[in-house]
Structure formats: C-alpha cells, structure tokens
Amino acid sequence: MANILCIGAGYVGGPTMAVIAKTCPEHRVVVVDANPARIAAWQSDRLPIYEPGLDEVVRAARGRNLFFSTEVDRHIAEADIIFVSVNTNTKTFGQGAGKAADLQYWEKAARQILENATSSKIVIEKSTLPVRTAEAMECILNSDSSHGIHFDILSNPEFLAEGSAIQDLEQPDRVLIGGRGTPSGQKAVQTIVDIYAHWVPRERIITTNLWSSELSKLTANAFLAQRISSINAISALCEKTEADVTEVAHAVGADSRIGPRFLQASVGFGGSCFRKDILNLVYLCEHYALPEVAAYWEQVIKMNDYQQERFVSNMVSAMFNTVAGKRIALFGAAFKANTGDTRESPALAVCRELLDEHADVILTDPYALENAAEDLGEQAAHVTFEPDPYAAAAGSHAIAVVTEWRQFAELDYEAIYRSMVKPAFIFDGRNLLDRRKLFGMGFNVYAIGKPPLTHFGAA
Ligand code: NAD
Ligand code: UGA
C-alpha cells in the first residue's frame, strides 16, 4: 500500500487521481490544493469541473481511499509518491513573457515538498513542462543531502482531453513514464508502472528517459494543433474555390498514413494548453538557437489567430459591413463540447471581437456561462447571458455557432427562424448544422470552408 499525493486539484489532478483511487483500492490517494473553494467543491455533490462520467468515479472512491484536502504540508510529510499537477501557464512578465512557461507554481510546490518531507519520495511531473525541467527539480529537491532523504524525479505527462477525460484515463492510448537510468530511478519508474498496470495493458505503458518524456508531451500537443491549423488553412482556400472542406478532410483522412481524426475545420482551436504549449515549444527552440524550428511551430498559432479573426470578418462583411447595434446570438462559450471550460475559448475571442464592433451579444451555453462571465471580466457587463438558446436567438439578426454542443444541432430551427429579425443569418463555426436544410427554411448560411448559401441572388 502506498500513500499517493497529488498537488493541484484542477482539470488534471482531480480526474486523474479519482481514476487511480478507483482502480487501486489498496492505495490511499489524497488530492490537495491551495484553493479552499476548489477543495470544498471536490468534497461536495457539485464538483468544480464538468466532465462526463466524473461524478460516478469520484463517488466510487471518495471517503474510501480518495480524499481532498487543503492541508498541503501535512500530506506531503505522509506521502510516498507525489504527483505535481499545478498550473504552468504562459509567463506574463519578465524574460520570455508571452511565450515561456511560468514555472513559479511548480517550483513553489517543489520547495514545499523539500520543507515538509521526512522520508524519501518519488516526485512526478504531471504538469506539462519545458524539456529539462526535471533537472532543475532534482537540483532543488536533492540540494541538501544532510537529512538522508532522496527524491527520485519522474515525468509522467497527462494526455487526457477535456470532455472525454474519464474515457481517456480509463482506456489511454498510452501512458508515458520517463526516469533516470540509475538503479534508484529505474526502481521509481517500476513503482509507477505497477500503479498504471492495475488497468492499463503493459504494452501501452511506455518508459523513456526523462527528457524524451517531457518533450513528447509538448510535441504531441503541437502535432494535434498543427493538424487543426492545417485543415483550417485549407478551409480558407475552400471558401474561395467552391471546394467543401468536409469532403476534402474526408478524402485526405481516408489515407491510412494520415488518418481521419483531428481534421475538423473550425473557428479555431482553444483550451488551456495548445496555445501555451506551442508557445513554450517556440520559446525553447529560440532558447536553443533554432529560429527556423521556432518559426515553423509559431505558424500554427498564427494560423489559429487568423482563423478566429477571419470568422468575425466574414460575419461583418456578410451582414452588410456592420454589426453595430445588431443582436447576435452566440451558440457556445466552452472551448469545445462536453466541458464547462472557457479557457482560451474561440467563442470568447469571437465574443470580444463582436463587442469591439459594437454588436449586442447574447451568449448561450449549457454548462459554461459562469466560467464565461468570469473570463470576460469587465466586458461581461456588455454581454447578456442566456441559458435558453431559443430565448437567445429570439429577436436576433444572426446566430453564430461557436461550440459544437449536440444540443445545438437538435433545436427546432423553423421556430428559431420565425423568431429572428429578417434577413436571418447563421454562421456555423463548427460545421455542426445541416446547412441545406437551414437554407431551405430561409436562413442565409455561412459555414467554415463551404460556399455560402444565401438568398441574395447573384451576390
Ligand atoms: P488547473 O489550473 O485547473 O489546476 C491547477 C491547480 O493547482 C489549481 O487549482 C491551483 O490552485 C493549484 N496549485 C498551484 N500551486 C499550488 C501549490 N503550491 N499547492 C497547492 N495547490 C497549488 O490546471 P489543469 O488544467 O489541471 O492543468 C495542470 C497541468 O496539467 C498544466 O501543466 C497543464 O498544462 C497540464 N495538462 C492539462 C490538461 C487539461 O486538459 N486541462 C491536459 C493535460 C495536461
Ligand atoms: C488537448 C489534447 O487533445 C490532449 O491530448 C492534451 O492532454 C490536452 O490538450 C492538454 O495537454 O491540455 P483538450 O484541449 O482538452 O485536449 O481538447 P481537444 O479535444 O484536443 O480540443 C482542443 C481544441 O481543438 C478545441 O477547441 C476543439 O474544438 C478544437 N478542435 C479539435 C478542432 O477545432 N478540430 C478538431 O478536429 C479537433
């Protein structure tokens, strides 16, 4: 039996530890966080994050071998294995501002471990970190050998996606564990392999050196985001040539070397990680004097910014070059379906740009309105938050679909059309809706990477 601790009860720490606790009943798992409101929510019936299947997993283990606490120091002292899953946002100040990862929370956690440890421990990087961060952590943690305590640092990055986190954790494509080649390092790796082997087939557990593990995480996110930027770049060309991006993606993805997933053209990718991890990769390349490599990856971000701006420009030009004073219903606030998370959400980027154009924005989303209001900050005062999509659309000049919630595909668009100002517009930023059907109802329909369907004659 091991005492497992996770520092950081966020989108990764909470679900990951809940799955470990559920599948390893002999181990005691404690998740700590500096934020008491977050811990209180994990202890309640209303968990702090919305994630399909999470409630059941937490209910199965909480109070049995899964505990949530704010007592960070005490639990560090008791732990044998410590996962560190704290935030590693982009730095906003000083050297590397706007690109480098802000490592202050990681370093603070490491120093807290050092201060409170009374026995040797395995410390695991669960957060996404720049390659060679483990070296700095080893320096900090093993800086004082007088007390006879030794720390083994491992890298075990997380590949879950929000909205499918429980499925991704229960049936991962792979688990990656990086460690030192020393006897102590290899023993630590084996300890963590044994935990995952409770439910992950052994051949899916990959062990590597520390640096490969750290870099694989950044690379995986960069490759995923690159596919989206690639198909989004093609969507712009489709709109000029009457090619249909869905047909192109299908034809391209049918090549087994390319594969069909992550080729869904959209208003752009969002989420807390793609942007920050690619910027971090760009910063690392610049740091190691590889400007061509840095520029190559930076283009993935530039294309994503372009796609979001292009979506709003298309809206403005389609609506006779002005949206000022027009009521626009934004369908979606979350950065993708099945999550309440709005971090880096393209929906909020579109919302901000429409506010700049003096549009009257009504935001509707089944789970993300609270987070959206918080993320919009002062601008939230200029937005109407409306949980009912029918009420959001009523009296609007246009609907923009910016999150691909299934609910939005299942609405009665005949009724919605009747309730809107004419001519009525739909801008489908997710290619979620049946555009021909909507056109038949009277809508002017603009979808990503497809020829517009309008009732304005030759125009
Ligand atoms: P998050 O912001 O939701 O959670 C991090 C938590 O750590 C916060 O609640 C914060 O209060 C807490 N924290 C920070 N310093 C602390 C300290 N010293 N002591 C106690 N608590 C502390 O972040 P997240 O989305 O869970 O991401 C965590 C890491 O995992 C990041 O590095 C991220 O890149 C990576 N990651 C995230 C996802 C995802 O889907 N969100 C997926 C894979 C990897
Ligand atoms: C992503 C990765 O998929 C995870 O493997 C990784 O662990 C995680 O980042 C992380 O490190 O944080 P996540 O951001 O939760 O997960 O969600 P994704 O499903 O990857 O979607 C990201 C964004 O891309 C969303 O805005 C989504 O709508 C968009 N997207 C995705 C597209 O526009 N088109 C696609 O074909 C796929």
Side-chain angles (χ1 to χ4, degrees):
M1 184 214 140
N3 275 318
I4 299 174
L5 175 68
C6 179
I7 302 181
Y11 286 86
V12 169
T16 312
M17 292 304 124
V19 168
I20 291 183
K22 188 187 131 192
T23 48
C24 307
E26 77 276 26
H27 296 319
R28 184 168 184 269
V29 182
V30 179
V31 191
V32 291
D33 202 289
N35 178 346
R38 219 165 199 189
I39 290 299
W42 280 111
Q43 289 165 334
S44 77
D45 287 336
R46 199 160 171 259
L47 301 182
I49 58 177
Y50 170 67
E51 192 61 63
L54 177 65
D55 285 24
E56 290 77 6
V57 177
V58 170
R59 223 176 291 132
R62 196 174 56 189
R64 180 191 71 182
N65 66 329
L66 174 67
F67 305 93
F68 295 92
S69 169
T70 50
E71 290 180 77
V72 183
D73 295 353
R74 175 165 79 84
H75 290 291
I76 287 174
E78 289 172 3
D80 309 304
I81 298 168
I82 304 180
F83 288 87
V84 184
S85 184
V86 299
N87 31 314
T88 51
N89 302 345
T90 305
K91 235 180 135 184
T92 53
F93 55 89
Q95 281 184 18
K99 272 193 189 153
D102 186 346
L103 297 179
Q104 63 171 312
Y105 301 102
W106 218 106
E107 182 164 339
K108 268 182 206 149
R111 290 188 187 279
Q112 237 168 324
I113 293 171
L114 184 61
E115 274 164 31
N116 293 287
T118 49
S119 58
S120 295
K121 298 179 195 306
I122 299 173
V123 176
I124 304 165
E125 297 177 341
K126 191 50 136 173
S127 299
T128 303
L129 294 158
V131 56
R132 297 203 77 87
T133 301
E135 195 174 33
M137 293 308 141
E138 281 173 340
C139 283
I140 293 171
L141 288 171
N142 290 321
S143 57
D144 177 7
S145 55
S146 61
H147 44 44
I149 298 176
H150 175 74
F151 295 95
D152 282 298
I153 319 294
L154 303 185
S155 160
N156 169 221
E158 185 48 60
F159 295 101
L160 69 80
E162 289 177 31
S164 57
I166 297 303
Q167 199 192 325
D168 295 341
L169 287 165
E170 291 189 333
Q171 289 155 8
D173 287 349
R174 78 321 210 167
V175 163
L176 177 59
I177 304 168
R180 288 280 191 193
T182 58
S184 161
Q186 285 305 298
K187 193 166 162 242
V189 167
Q190 191 56 46
T191 304
I192 306 309
V193 167
D194 290 344
I195 290 177
Y196 282 106
H198 277 71
W199 77 97
V200 181
R202 185 61 188 83
E203 63 277 11
R204 291 199 180 185
I205 305 177
I206 302 171
T207 56
T208 65
N209 80 31
L210 269 171
W211 326 124
S212 304
S213 174
E214 289 177 332
L215 187 54
S216 299
K217 173 62 196 175
L218 292 181
T219 307
N221 273 0
F223 272 50
L224 289 167
Q226 181 198 43
R227 277 174 76 94
I228 303 168
S229 277
S230 295
I231 199 67
N232 281 345
I234 296 301
S235 78
L237 188 56
C238 286
E239 287 167 32
K240 299 281 184 203
T241 57
E242 291 188 34
D244 179 323
V245 76
T246 308
E247 293 179 350
V248 174
H250 178 69
V252 170
D255 186 325
S256 60
R257 293 168 303 174
I258 296 173
R261 297 180 67 190
F262 261 72
L263 287 180
Q264 179 69 46
S266 67
V267 57
F269 60 74
S272 62
C273 294
F274 278 175
R275 187 183 175 85
K276 87 164 166 61
D277 291 348
I278 295 175
L279 287 171
N280 182 356
L281 186 62
V282 168
Y283 184 73
L284 281 166
C285 295
E286 286 169 352
H287 171 81
Y288 287 107
L290 300 167
E292 289 81 2
V293 186
Y296 176 78
W297 288 111
E298 195 161 23
Q299 196 57 33
V300 173
I301 301 279
K302 287 185 181 162
M303 184 53 61
N304 198 52
D305 292 343
Y306 167 71
Q307 187 75 348
Q308 294 182 3
E309 287 156 23
R310 208 170 68 78
F311 184 74
V312 178
S313 310
N314 282 348
M315 286 181 75
V316 175
S317 74
M319 294 175 75
F320 319 112
N321 294 313
T322 177
V323 292
K326 290 181 183 168
R327 182 178 160 108
I328 297 180
L330 274 191
F331 277 20
F335 79 95
K336 63 186 273 194
N338 301 319
T339 176
D341 195 353
T342 54
R343 291 179 291 179
E344 298 288 340
S345 175
L348 299 192
V350 168
C351 177
R352 288 191 188 98
E353 283 196 45
L354 289 172
L355 290 176
D356 286 348
E357 292 289 339
H358 294 188
D360 187 3
V361 179
I362 324 295
L363 200 52
T364 186
D365 191 287
Y367 285 96
L369 291 185
E370 231 171 89
N371 282 338
E374 201 173 303
D375 282 8
L376 284 169
E378 284 176 8
Q379 283 175 301
H382 306 289
V383 174
T384 307
F385 297 90
E386 172 53 69
D388 174 11
Y390 290 103
S396 292
H397 294 74
I399 293 171
V401 179
V402 275
T403 308
E404 71 281 22
W405 286 103
R406 242 354 303 141
Q407 290 92 317
F408 296 151
E410 289 159 4
L411 299 171
D412 176 355
Y413 282 93
E414 297 266 14
I416 287 178
Y417 179 74
R418 284 194 298 274
S419 76
M420 288 176 65
V421 174
K422 310 298 177 315
F425 293 83
I426 286 201
F427 299 90
D428 188 350
R430 296 290 187 168
N431 289 339
L432 179 73
L433 308 177
D434 183 334
R435 49 199 266 285
R436 288 184 205 288
K437 244 192 199 166
L438 294 173
F439 177 65
M441 292 172 196
F443 282 105
N444 297 293
V445 190
Y446 298 77
I448 299 278
K450 294 174 193 268
L453 297 174
T454 72
H455 297 278
F456 305 130

